[in-house]
Amino acid sequence: MEGDTTPDGYVLESSGECEVLEETVEKQEDFFRLPKKMVLTEPVLNSLEKIKENRDFWKLKLSESKITNVAAPMVDQSELAFRMFNRQHGTQLTYTPMIHAHLFVNDSTYRRNSLALCPTDRPLIVQFCANKVDTFLSACRLVEGFCDGVDLNLGCPQMVAKRGRYGSYLQDEVDLICKMVEAVRDYCSIPVSCKIRIREDRQQTVNYARRLVEAGAAMLTVHGRTREMKGAETGLADWTRIRDVVEAVDVPVIANGNIQFPGDVERCMRATGAVAVMSAEGLLYNPLIFSSELAHRETWKVAREYLHYARKYHAGVSAMRAHVFRICHHSLLEYSDLRMRVSMEHRLEDFESVVDELEKRASEEAATEQGVERERNALKLFEDIRTGAIEMDPLEVSRAPHWISKPYFRLSEVAKETLVAEGEKTFKEQRRERLEKAAKEMGVSLKQARKRERRQLTEKKILSVKRLKFDPCARCSQPGGQGCSHFMCKKCCRYVCRHEKKNCKSHRYAFSEDDRNGLIEQLNPI
């Protein structure tokens, strides 16, 4: 099922040109997106042999390739750049972000923008959320040949999932879920898996998992938290509940939850009996946790390496902003002006500039005698946690220097005094105090003051975008089009292409008779 070539008619995008970092060496390669025009033929019923082959696929693949480290599907944050970054540091199996099946099938622009692929990002699982049998099946059939499996999201606990009737809010409709899984089992050429959360009691979880496997799920990922455990109420995942599922089904089970440090993978596999371990939030705050030797590097080095991949694979602004926020989370709490800059920037070069400034400030702090001693103690602490010499204590870990990669802990997990000095306020307390003062001065409610602050921030972002400078058109000196082959605005490009019989892929003009048909086929694949 693994492919190494780009399918005919699919649009290739050249990877960005950038200097290769000393820590990472990889060849430049192209990646592609699905075309806007795709036509599905009538589904063909799989033979019993094909169904058995798909059911056994992940059992054989995980065993033969010795896959234990899995990067979770994360909305807008497991994009191609982050997946390839993870692979460089120990991840062996990746998931795409959760994709909305209905939009993927019916909206060509969404389909093109939601999924970027490259030949070396394998094995890969494409995850969908859905609540209709035909829609889920159609979405899965559209990605046949470009991934190793498809996954049904049954774990998302957010309110948007409740409103959309998908994710963990579909777990009360087990009959519908089983029909969706059965349809893909019977009519799709690649195996289907499911990512679930544990239910209210043990037996209910086991019965739920068994129903999914009976319906055709070739693999299960079990998150050891219930649907209600989210946000401030997240708490710790229950590995014993994952073991219940492992012992009850005959397909591979991936364990998800509490993966924060190197060494957690082995501990989780021993405790649960799972064949592999998936990390989500742990990877977002420290993408190197699957790499023991490099797991606790300086945050600015990690962020800079991610931006290297973001440039190469054309990551979107929202993805870059989110990753820089999380990778540098602890340092950005120390430097509030840099935190504000990250929220305002729109160009990769500007995010790189923020990381450079962060390095300058944090390096000075780390070079002091106190900084050197704190870093030495932190690295010894992290090594003891990794080897199992001591158990992880959130209070101790939170005291580690902010410039060293470490997990994120919520206020409910650590004491306030570990986050700020005596007599000082946390970032959230300072923000609330500022909003209360502004609300009093304006004579409005706290909620209204918060809205006005967001509105002002949005206006600043718009002004920031307007200040961006574009290269002038080579013909009329007006702002030129981004990516134009002739460095011109759209109007001038059309005039030149039409009169000089040229082509421009960026503006989608095809006037050259020599390769007109070939370019039109590229621009409008069937």
Side-chain angles (χ1 to χ4, degrees):
M1 291 185 185
E2 293 188 17
D4 55 2
T5 59
T6 303
D8 295 336
Y10 284 63
V11 182
L12 270 177
E13 297 187 31
S14 297
S15 59
E17 297 181 1
C18 54
E19 296 181 0
V20 178
L21 303 180
E22 292 182 1
E23 296 89 350
T24 173
V25 178
E26 75 281 330
K27 65 178 182 179
Q28 296 292 313
E29 60 184 337
D30 292 332
F31 60 98
F32 64 95
R33 299 178 186 275
L34 273 64
K36 288 190 173 183
K37 294 184 179 179
M38 299 183 73
V39 178
L40 282 174
T41 58
E42 286 296 317
V44 177
L45 183 66
N46 287 332
S47 65
L48 294 178
E49 291 77 11
K50 181 62 177 177
I51 292 175
K52 185 179 186 305
E53 177 188 336
N54 284 344
R55 180 182 174 83
D56 295 337
F57 176 80
W58 285 118
K59 184 181 296 185
L60 295 173
K61 183 68 176 177
L62 296 177
S63 174
E64 292 173 356
S65 301
K66 299 180 180 179
I67 294 173
T68 57
N69 304 335
V70 184
M74 295 168 280
V75 177
D76 294 335
Q77 290 174 65
S78 53
E79 82 286 1
L80 178 59
F82 194 64
R83 298 199 302 270
M84 297 305 289
F85 179 32
N86 289 157
R87 285 186 182 278
Q88 184 67 24
H89 294 286
T91 296
Q92 300 158 309
L93 170 63
T94 58
Y95 281 67
T96 67
M98 181 188 72
I99 298 173
H100 197 292
H102 176 79
L103 295 176
F104 191 80
V105 172
N106 296 288
D107 187 330
S108 59
T109 301
Y110 176 87
R111 178 167 61 245
R112 175 171 168 74
N113 293 336
S114 64
L115 190 59
L117 305 161
C118 75
T120 54
D121 185 24
R122 305 290 285 270
L124 172 72
I125 294 178
V126 178
Q127 189 188 68
F128 293 104
C129 67
N131 54 28
K132 293 183 179 179
V133 177
D134 293 341
T135 301
F136 181 52
L137 175 59
S138 297
C140 294
R141 293 183 62 218
L142 285 173
V143 297
E144 286 179 327
F146 314 122
C147 60
D148 300 275
V150 290
D151 188 81
L152 178 60
N153 183 310
L154 299 171
C156 181
Q158 304 303 323
M159 287 306 297
V160 66
K162 185 175 184 179
R163 291 193 294 269
R165 191 168 149 255
Y166 60 81
S168 63
Y169 295 95
L170 206 61
Q171 68 186 22
D172 300 321
E173 302 180 57
V174 181
D175 290 340
L176 172 61
I177 294 172
C178 290
K179 288 179 181 178
M180 288 194 287
V181 174
E182 287 170 355
V184 177
R185 176 200 65 189
D186 292 342
Y187 292 98
C188 196
S189 65
I190 52 180
V192 58
S193 58
C194 297
K195 185 174 186 294
I196 66 174
R197 285 191 169 228
I198 58 175
R199 303 293 293 270
E200 287 71 18
D201 61 70
R202 291 180 179 273
Q203 192 56 46
Q204 192 177 22
T205 302
V206 169
N207 293 340
Y208 181 36
R210 284 174 174 163
R211 287 285 306 275
L212 296 176
V213 172
E214 290 170 2
M219 181 169 66
L220 295 178
T221 299
V222 183
H223 189 161
R225 295 182 175 92
T226 64
R227 182 171 62 190
E228 291 70 33
M229 296 173 70
K230 58 183 179 179
E233 304 300 324
T234 297
L236 292 175
D238 188 345
W239 285 353
T240 65
R241 302 285 295 277
I242 300 176
R243 174 171 280 280
D244 290 344
V245 176
V246 172
E247 295 173 348
V249 300
D250 61 350
V251 299
V253 175
I254 299 176
N256 181 207
N258 300 351
I259 309 302
Q260 303 271 24
F261 271 93
D264 285 345
V265 171
E266 293 77 13
R267 283 188 283 273
C268 183
M269 290 177 66
R270 286 195 300 268
T272 63
V275 296
V277 169
M278 174 184 287
S279 180
E281 189 174 82
L283 276 178
L284 287 177
Y285 288 91
N286 184 2
L288 311 184
I289 59 174
F290 289 146
S291 177
S292 299
E293 298 79 10
L294 300 172
H296 302 292
R297 294 167 63 196
E298 294 87 344
T299 55
W300 68 77
K301 290 183 180 179
V302 180
R304 184 176 291 124
E305 187 175 349
Y306 162 72
L307 291 175
H308 161 75
Y309 283 89
R311 181 183 295 278
K312 180 177 179 180
Y313 294 105
H314 304 180
V317 173
S318 62
M320 288 189 290
R321 179 180 292 118
H323 286 304
V324 172
F325 258 130
R326 284 171 170 79
I327 293 170
C328 303
H329 170 80
H330 300 285
S331 294
L332 292 176
L333 290 178
E334 297 289 326
Y335 310 123
S336 57
D337 60 320
L338 295 184
R339 180 185 175 91
M340 180 60 69
R341 278 190 60 189
V342 173
S343 70
M344 302 282 290
E345 303 297 4
H346 290 80
R347 299 186 305 168
L348 187 146
E349 293 80 2
D350 295 326
F351 290 117
E352 290 174 331
S353 174
V354 171
V355 173
D356 290 341
E357 179 62 24
L358 174 60
E359 177 185 7
K360 179 181 177 182
R361 297 187 193 183
S363 295
E364 293 176 356
E365 189 175 346
T368 64
E369 185 176 344
Q370 183 182 12
V372 172
E373 181 65 20
R374 289 184 63 203
E375 185 170 328
R376 184 186 302 114
N377 292 337
L379 293 179
K380 183 180 184 305
L381 171 67
F382 293 163
E383 178 62 16
D384 289 341
I385 294 174
R386 184 188 72 81
T387 59
I390 61 174
E391 291 187 5
M392 186 190 70
D393 181 356
L395 301 181
E396 290 296 324
V397 173
S398 64
R399 294 190 180 103
H402 64 81
W403 60 85
I404 299 295
S405 298
K406 60 182 180 179
Y408 164 73
F409 296 106
R410 295 171 178 81
L411 280 173
S412 60
E413 297 173 298
V414 295
K416 175 186 170 182
E417 58 267 19
T418 64
L419 302 179
V420 296
E422 185 177 354
E424 293 184 0
K425 295 181 174 62
T426 65
F427 178 83
K428 289 185 176 180
E429 288 175 332
Q430 292 176 17
R431 182 171 182 270
R432 183 178 180 85
E433 191 176 78
R434 187 179 67 252
L435 284 173
E436 288 176 344
K437 182 179 178 181
K440 186 176 181 180
E441 291 175 352
M442 292 184 291
V444 298
S445 66
L446 184 64
K447 182 178 180 180
Q448 193 61 233
R450 188 176 289 110
K451 283 185 177 180
R452 294 188 183 187
E453 183 187 60
R454 283 199 298 266
R455 193 177 301 125
Q456 290 176 355
L457 183 61
T458 301
E459 290 172 356
K460 288 180 181 178
K461 289 180 180 179
I462 293 172
L463 290 174
S464 175
V465 173
K466 288 182 177 179
R467 284 197 299 269
L468 294 179
K469 293 184 178 180
F470 297 93
D471 294 331
C473 171
R475 184 168 179 268
C476 70
S477 74
Q478 293 294 318
Q482 288 183 299
C484 175
S485 306
H486 311 295
F487 308 101
M488 298 181 182
C489 65
K490 188 172 183 179
K491 186 175 181 180
C492 290
C493 183
R494 178 179 175 81
Y495 178 86
V496 170
C497 287
R498 184 173 183 179
H499 287 79
E500 299 181 12
K501 305 299 182 184
K502 295 182 177 180
N503 298 326
C504 178
K505 186 175 179 180
S506 175
H507 285 130
R508 303 175 69 84
Y509 296 146
F511 291 97
S512 173
E513 295 297 335
D514 295 335
D515 56 352
R516 175 181 171 86
N517 293 333
L519 183 60
I520 289 177
E521 185 177 345
Q522 273 191 322
L523 298 176
N524 301 289
I526 298 176

